[in-house]
Structure formats: structure tokens, C-alpha cells
Amino acid sequence: MLAEKYYRPLLHFSPAFGWLNDPNGLVYKNGEYHLFYQYYPGDSVWGPMHWGHAVSHDLLNWTHLPIALAPDALGMCFSGTALVDKGDKSGLFGGKDGLLAYYTIAAEKLPDDADFPQSQGMAYSADNGRHWTKYNGNPVIRNPGLQDFRDPKVFWYEPAGHWVMVVTQGQQIGIYRSNDAINWQFSSSFGEGQGAHDERAWECPDLFEIKIEGQEESRWILIVGVQRQAYTPGSGTQYFIGQFDGERFLNDNDPATVLWLDHGRDFYATQSWADIPESDGRRLAISWMSCWPYANHLPTQSWRSAMSIPHEFTLRLTSDGLRLHHAFVRELSAKYQHSQSEEAKTAIAGSELFQCKWQDALRLKLAITLEENSCLQLTPMPGIQLFITTSAGQLDLQCVRHGKSEDETYNQHFPHDYHLSLGSNRRINLDLLLDRSSVELLIDNGRYSITNLAFPETAPMHICRALVTAGKANADVEWHQFSQFPV
Ligand code: FRU
């Protein structure tokens, strides 16, 4: 493997040192996007969980701030949420707006909770997240007797005038409500017999309302993490589309329908930003760009793991029904250093459609047309390849990743070879974002998202190359280079 500096992302958030996993408490206030995250400063493997903290004005340049929440006598600070208490409904902020955070207190053992050490705690900040006070009556929700009771997501539900919390309850999501942000009543649960499950608990729920694009109607989206058996082996994120009345979530689809938010291996614990101003109106989200089976074994030493690039979600009607679509945040285009495009390049079997050299980060947009029985082999960087094939009227994408280090767990779990069927098209558009150790791919205007880490073994200059290995292909190509941001 290379020296770890070659894997430090240019565009993606990563900790200066130590371990990072889930994004927590994403909230916008006073012109700042806050990103809290599961953090262990003492080592670059998972350990006693803190909430790390960073802020940004554009979702791309992040300023590291001191740790927001640290373990105490009650336990560690697992994943959770933050939100603006508008108009001081909680009474904690002397009439001004303040920030509330809910997190899971994860103890070895809580005195009253016997064998069930996970409960929900609250903290608040009157100075835009710079200092936090843990509520002195924590936990605000005691464990009801569940092995897995964690990752609260809280929002204000205006029609009923109460707060709502969705929280992992084993293989289900518990829904609670509160009028004062401190006392919580159980409303309902969702999940039994619904969507994808494995033998472990669902994790990191999110629930939000989103308009159907081009319509006045909206739907509610419930996101949950599946720990070990997602679309690809390991951790992945699924979502449900439905109705929510402040107390109950109803799935619009058949319970057997499984909707994956991403079809790669490194897009987990997705959370969306709270309190984005209405004038902006976007539903912005970020994910942990890793996967539990190998997360602790990635080939960096002083820091480990990064976040995905922030995504904007839209809900669009497709021939399969409503589906969430992704876009990389538009703020990225302000960071382009050099852009170039070429129209209608054509290549036949055995020849190259295009190649470009890149260093640090590259965005590549392709509109490809393939003849029947054709195959395009795209190698964005060493270690990962995409094969796009047309055959029997169907478009197929194969994603192959290699990787070998001195770590046996990495060698066993990191390489992959999987397929995604993309229907009966012969035209496909790709939006690829390449950074020093990741390949993020959006297909068909964000209908599919595929996020994968990659650790090239040669550096620092890479060649992104598209080769036609069968038939014939044509493409419009547009690429944008990034380089180090001015600080
Ligand atoms: C998901 C998760 C959460 C938990 C956190 C602990 O990746 O397992 O369920 O709160 O990580 O770090």
C-alpha cells in the first residue's frame, strides 16, 4: 500500500486524526452547516464514542471544532441528532433559539437498566454548538428492555405541535412523541416484515417529508441502515416511501419491496440536515463512507474513514414508481479548477473511448450510448473497474474492486465483484466523483447511487480510462479537475 497521505481525501470530510464513523446531529443554523460524527480521538479504530464536530459554509470546506460530547459516568455517546429549537419551545434557552441534541447513552451497564445499557440522552447548546450541557435528568428515555435501542432522530412535527423521535428498537423503528423535548411517549413501531432485514438490528433511522418533484404532493421517507446483508455484502442503507401522521409511519409499497439508497459498499448511516431554510428547500444528506466488515482495517493508520460527498435528494416518479434520486451538492462546481468537454466520441471493440490523467480529485460526466452486445470497461483509478454491458436488450453494470494489504480481514472483505441491472436502456449517463480513495457514481440523473472506496497502489497521478471491449460505444465526455482548496 502507499503512504497514507495519498489516501487522505481532498473533497471529503475526514478527521485530522483518530477514528470516525456515522454522521450525527446534522443541522443548519446561522449560516453554518454542522457536522457531528462518531469519533474516537484515542486511536484509529472504533473505541469509546465521542461526538466530533465540524462546521462549513459550503458543505465542502470544513473547519474542525473541539469535541462536542464526550463519554461520562453514564456511558459513551452513540449516534443521534441535533435540531434547532425554534422559539425556545423547550424553555431551555431563555426565549431564544437554541440547539438540542439527542444521542444514545451506551454504557457497560446502567444501574436501573440491568442488561440493557442503551438509552437516550439529551444535551443543549445556547451558543451555536460551541458548548454543550448534558441534561441533568438523563436519560430522557430509559431502555424498555431491548438489546438494541439507539440512534435517535428528532424533528418538530408542526401539524400536531409536538416533537417526534424515531429510534432503533432491534429489528424495528420505534416512534415517540414529546411536547417539551424531555418527556417522551411511545407512539408506534414500524419494521416487522418490511423491507430487508438481517440477523442484526436496523440502525441510524432518519424520517423526513419530501415533495414529489414537479408536484404539490409529498411523501415521507424512512431511512434505515442494514448492518451486514445489504444490496452488496456488508452494511448498506435502505429506505421506505410512505405516509406519516405524527405517530405512525405507513409504507406505500408492498412490505416485500426493498429500496436501496445506494448500490455500493461504502454508504452507511445516512442522515439528512435539519433546519435547511425554506428559501433553499433542499434535502441534503451525508453518509459514512465505509462498511463495518472492514472499516477498522482500512489501510490508513493515523486517521480512519471519511464521509461521502453531501448529496441532495429528490423524489421522482419513474416507470417503477416513486424513487429517491441523488445529486452531488451543487456547491462542488464552485471548486472546479479546470474543465474540459468533448462531444460524440466513438470507439469500437479493442479501442479506447477516452482517457484522462488526474490527481487528487476529478468529476467526470459521461453520456454513453452502447450498441447491442457491447461492453465498455471503465477504470477510474487503479483497483476498481466498471463494466457496462448490453446484451439481450438489457444494460448491466458490473463493479469489480481489488485490494490487498498486510491485513487479512481487509484482504478477505474488501475485494468485490457484483452486478446491478439497469433495465432495457442502451443509453446511460454517469456522474463520477473520484477522490484519492473513493469512487462515487450516480447513474441516470441520480436514479442509482454507487459509492465505493478504492485504495490505489500507485500514486499520485492516475489515469481514468474507458475501453470498448466488445461492440461499439459513443460518448459525450465532460471532466472537471479539482486541486487543493485555498484554506
Ligand atoms: C452504526 C452504529 C450505530 C451506533 C454507532 C456506534 O454504524 O453501530 O448504531 O450508534 O454506530 O458508533
Side-chain angles (χ1 to χ4, degrees), residues 217-340:
E217 266 182 59
S218 60
R219 294 286 184 277
W220 285 79
I221 305 293
L222 176 65
I223 288 178
V224 299
V226 176
Q227 294 193 50
R228 288 294 190 276
Q229 289 171 47
Y231 177 75
T232 55
S235 331
T237 311
Q238 69 174 327
Y239 69 99
F240 298 90
I241 305 175
Q243 320 286 327
F244 181 66
D245 65 0
E247 297 191 25
R248 225 165 300 275
F249 177 81
L250 292 177
N251 186 0
D252 278 352
N253 289 306
D254 184 86
T257 303
V258 177
L259 302 177
W260 294 108
L261 193 56
D262 183 272
H263 290 81
R265 297 193 68 201
D266 300 293
F267 194 86
Y268 194 58
T270 307
Q271 289 287 299
S272 67
W273 262 274
D275 301 304
I276 298 293
E278 264 173 43
S279 55
D280 178 318
R282 289 181 291 174
R283 180 54 61 173
L284 299 166
I286 206 167
S287 301
W288 176 39
M289 199 160 53
S290 194
C291 182
W292 277 117
Y294 49 75
N296 280 286
H297 302 268
L298 296 176
T300 58
Q301 299 309 321
S302 61
W303 58 277
R304 200 168 265 126
S305 278
M307 295 298 173
S308 72
I309 216 70
H311 285 202
E312 180 185 353
F313 291 151
T314 46
L315 185 62
R316 299 188 195 157
L317 195 56
T318 71
S319 53
D320 297 325
L322 291 170
R323 292 291 182 271
L324 272 186
H325 283 59
H326 302 240
F328 301 135
V329 282
R330 59 177 178 238
E331 283 81 351
L332 265 178
S333 59
K335 309 288 179 197
Y336 297 161
Q337 274 267 313
H338 176 73
S339 299
Q340 210 175 313

